[in-house]
Amino acid sequence: MIPVTKPYLPSREKLEDYVDGIYERKWLTNNGPLVQELTKRLEKYLGVENLLLVSNGTLALQIAYRTLGVNKVVNGKPAEAITTPFSFIATASSLKWEGINPVFVDIDPETWCLDPNNIESAITPQTRAIVPVHVFGNPCDVEFIQDIADKHDLKIIYDAAHAFDVSYKGQSILKYGDASILSLHATKLFHTIEGGAIIFKRREDLEKAKKLINFGISAPDCIDELGINAKMGEFSAAMGLCVLDEVEKVKEKRKNIWDIYRGALENEIVMQKWSDSSVKNCAYFPIVLPSEKKALDLMQNLGFKNIQLRRYFYPSLESVEVFGKHKKLPISQDISSRILCLPLYPDLSDSQVKMIVELINE
Ligand SMILES: *Cc1c(COP(=O)(O)O)cnc(C)c1O
């Protein structure tokens, strides 16, 4: 069976060394030494500041909204955030969970990221934020989005769950917006089993978020914010430190597979248009087929051969019932109906990749 993805497991000996340390210290969570070490090493590796590790990417989004005040009601009505329908459910459900109504606007037909040209007409007096996604790690039009946010005094929170180590114009893409979040879930390029991170633009927001993830406690006898528990534990950080030591190798293997796919897939298949100024991380390999039927047939045919393709992202989020009734967004509907992600993980061998390509080109 070739699954669409497989978690990367690093050197077990090294992990056991870290576990020995945890057993000696008996410090399992609450900003332990391994969480502190991973924080510093990630800041250095990614070239960012003000990074906060949390328990998962969804809570990273929720904490970011709260820290930036996006959830505050406006004139007695729920706040709104403008976001993309072409993403994983957590982008929009995290908003809803915080009492913020997601307002979906359509995507660019080539980059598949939120099209900034659609933002301004969706702004209302309730709008507090824009929540774009660097989808499959492809940078959004960050300058255009920043201009709109400045003009209308809106916060920007990037869902950068796919954008670990993506750079844009020579810098980390995570430096854009008021905050960017990473998911460090087991299936992501870099992971801590479960985990997430928030990268804030401003130090004071980082300080506030540190309290929010620890029940709002600011000192032993002092609770001055409404908080929650979103802390990362030491075993997760140990896994992260081990994966980080091998992440260059992980990236190389992914790039190798990515390049084979890219070079070998034929005519009818459409691929994502990449931002010119970015260095990609090869986290996903999505293809768009000429029709929904062709996509479903291909998925089924490869399924018979025990090769898993995944409709990712499907359905387009504006048609998910939990968000209420929304007008269908044609571009996102169209892409999501025809898209498939191909298997991509470091253990996949060249011959397996070539076999997949041959079956797709058949
Ligand atoms: C994985 C993912 C998330 C959620 O992250 P978790 O760590 O699984 O909570 C959010 N947004 C996007 C786009 C994702 O792919």
Side-chain angles (χ1 to χ4, degrees):
M1 162 79 175
I2 299 178
V4 71
T5 187
K6 203 188 266 187
Y8 181 77
L9 287 169
S11 155
R12 183 161 176 165
E13 290 81 64
K14 196 177 268 179
L15 185 64
E16 283 169 2
D17 287 345
Y18 280 112
V19 171
D20 288 343
I22 296 172
Y23 269 71
E24 270 161 42
R25 288 187 295 274
K26 299 185 167 55
W27 184 352
L28 301 186
T29 186
N30 287 43
N31 199 28
L34 298 183
V35 166
Q36 293 176 36
E37 187 183 337
L38 183 60
T39 304
K40 286 204 200 90
R41 281 193 51 197
L42 280 174
E43 285 184 340
K44 184 148 181 274
Y45 184 77
L46 299 169
V48 298
E49 293 178 319
N50 304 327
L51 181 145
L52 181 65
L53 287 169
V54 298
S55 47
N56 60 62
T58 307
L59 276 167
L61 285 166
Q62 289 175 221
I63 302 287
Y65 308 147
R66 290 229 166 209
T67 304
L68 297 165
V70 176
N71 61 312
K72 287 200 189 113
V73 297
V74 186
N75 302 322
K77 291 191 209 151
E80 293 173 0
I82 296 170
T83 189
T84 170
F86 188 67
S87 183
F88 183 57
I89 181 75
T91 308
S93 61
S94 60
L95 286 164
K96 193 81 184 162
W97 196 267
E98 290 298 335
I100 306 158
N101 283 329
V103 174
F104 298 102
V105 301
D106 215 347
I107 55 172
D108 180 282
E110 295 188 317
T111 68
W112 309 338
C113 291
L114 185 155
D115 183 347
N117 293 300
N118 298 330
I119 295 176
E120 277 193 301
S121 59
I123 294 174
T124 74
Q126 268 77 255
T127 312
R128 282 206 189 274
I130 309 170
V131 181
V133 179
H134 302 304
V135 76
F136 303 124
N138 194 20
C140 295
D141 190 341
V142 288
E143 285 95 2
F144 192 172
I145 294 171
Q146 188 65 57
D147 286 346
I148 298 169
D150 289 345
K151 191 168 147 201
H152 297 274
D153 194 22
L154 303 174
K155 301 288 187 194
I156 306 171
I157 298 98
Y158 281 106
D159 182 340
H162 302 163
F164 184 87
D165 202 25
V166 168
S167 68
Y168 176 76
K169 298 191 174 164
Q171 285 209 350
S172 171
I173 190 66
L174 304 170
K175 289 191 160 187
Y176 290 85
D178 298 278
S180 292
I181 74 93
L182 290 170
S183 164
L184 310 181
H185 181 260
T187 56
K188 295 332 204 239
L189 187 154
F190 168 79
H191 76 92
T192 59
I193 310 173
E194 289 272 2
I198 317 171
I199 295 88
F200 287 105
K201 176 164 283 169
R202 288 170 290 269
R203 167 130 306 221
E204 60 266 30
D205 291 331
L206 169 70
E207 295 305 327
K208 181 173 176 193
K210 279 184 188 168
K211 287 189 244 171
L212 294 187
I213 67 165
N214 188 32
F215 312 100
I217 298 171
S218 56
D221 304 320
C222 183
I223 296 156
D224 53 19
E225 304 267 2
L226 177 66
I228 195 162
N229 179 4
K231 304 185 300 293
M232 177 178 280
E234 290 290 274
F235 278 79
S236 280
M239 178 62 89
L241 287 163
C242 294
V243 179
L244 192 55
D245 279 340
E246 297 174 30
V247 78
E248 284 299 313
K249 192 178 79 191
V250 168
K251 277 171 38 190
E252 228 170 85
K253 289 193 165 173
R254 285 180 171 276
K255 184 167 187 317
N256 177 49
I257 297 165
W258 206 97
D259 287 343
I260 302 177
Y261 277 144
R262 175 90 219 186
L265 288 170
E266 285 170 6
N267 30 44
E268 286 198 311
I269 285 163
V270 175
M271 297 179 208
Q272 189 175 22
K273 179 169 174 251
W274 282 86
S275 157
D276 294 334
S277 329
S278 79
V279 177
K280 48 182 172 295
N281 64 4
C282 303
Y284 298 87
F285 201 96
I287 57 172
V288 168
L289 281 288
S291 70
E292 182 166 25
K293 175 155 190 328
K294 288 202 167 161
L296 293 175
D297 286 350
L298 181 66
M299 189 165 74
Q300 191 179 40
N301 289 339
L302 269 68
F304 290 142
K305 306 225 151 66
N306 279 322
I307 299 164
Q308 183 191 31
L309 308 186
R310 189 163 163 214
R311 301 190 88 188
Y312 199 63
F313 299 101
Y314 177 87
S316 181
L317 295 179
E318 88 281 12
S319 42
V320 174
E321 242 177 69
V322 295
F323 301 123
K325 273 231 171 307
H326 292 272
K327 217 173 91 223
K328 295 244 162 91
L329 296 167
I331 298 167
S332 180
Q333 288 283 334
D334 178 45
I335 299 292
S336 65
S337 72
R338 299 188 283 134
I339 200 163
L340 293 171
C341 279
L342 304 186
L344 179 50
Y345 50 88
D347 284 354
L348 200 61
S349 70
D350 286 10
S351 59
Q352 286 174 315
V353 178
K354 284 177 188 140
M355 175 181 74
I356 295 168
V357 165
E358 276 169 27
L359 290 168
I360 295 173
N361 285 339
E362 239 169 35

